[in-house]
Amino acid sequence: MLILRVLRSSPLHGYAIAQKIHLLSREVLEVEEGSLYPALQKILLKGWASAEWGISETGRKVRFYRLTAAGRKQLEAELEDYDRVTEAIKAVLRTA
């Protein structure tokens, strides 16, 4: 869900995705390469993003990932599920 969310703003390469999640989480979350690239491959296979080669801001050849319409739909579904579960947990914590 976090990868889809950061891709909603603009196409990014893998390292930039990890950095953006790290910065936006106030340096709490770190996405390791060992989990990021398999997740990106899964996202590509499901058609939630497309990828094309380009040049990074440091001059390296990298793959840029772009959210597709199916990816936007999946993101919205995952955000709704997240909100529903979060509210359920809050309800238990408030009343238990």
Side-chain angles (χ1 to χ4, degrees), residues 41-72:
Q41 186 61 29
K42 178 182 169 186
I43 288 169
L44 287 174
L45 289 173
K46 291 188 175 279
W48 298 340
S50 60
E52 61 184 42
W53 290 100
I55 303 298
S56 74
E57 57 282 348
T58 60
R60 293 181 51 223
K61 185 177 178 183
V62 294
R63 282 179 96 179
F64 283 89
Y65 299 89
R66 177 185 305 271
L67 199 63
T68 64
R72 289 182 191 283

Side-chain angles (χ1 to χ4, degrees), residues 4 6 9 22 34 42-43 50 55 57 59 75 78 81 90 96:
L4 296 177
V6 297
S9 303
H22 183 67
K42 178 182 169 186
I43 288 169
S50 60
I55 303 298
E57 57 282 348
L75 174 60
E78 290 187 18
D81 282 348
K90 285 180 183 177

Side-chain angles (χ1 to χ4, degrees), residues 5 25-26 38 42 44 64 70 77 79 86 95:
R5 178 57 187 95
S25 70
R26 299 182 184 141
K42 178 182 169 186
L44 287 174
F64 283 89
L79 288 171
T86 300
T95 58

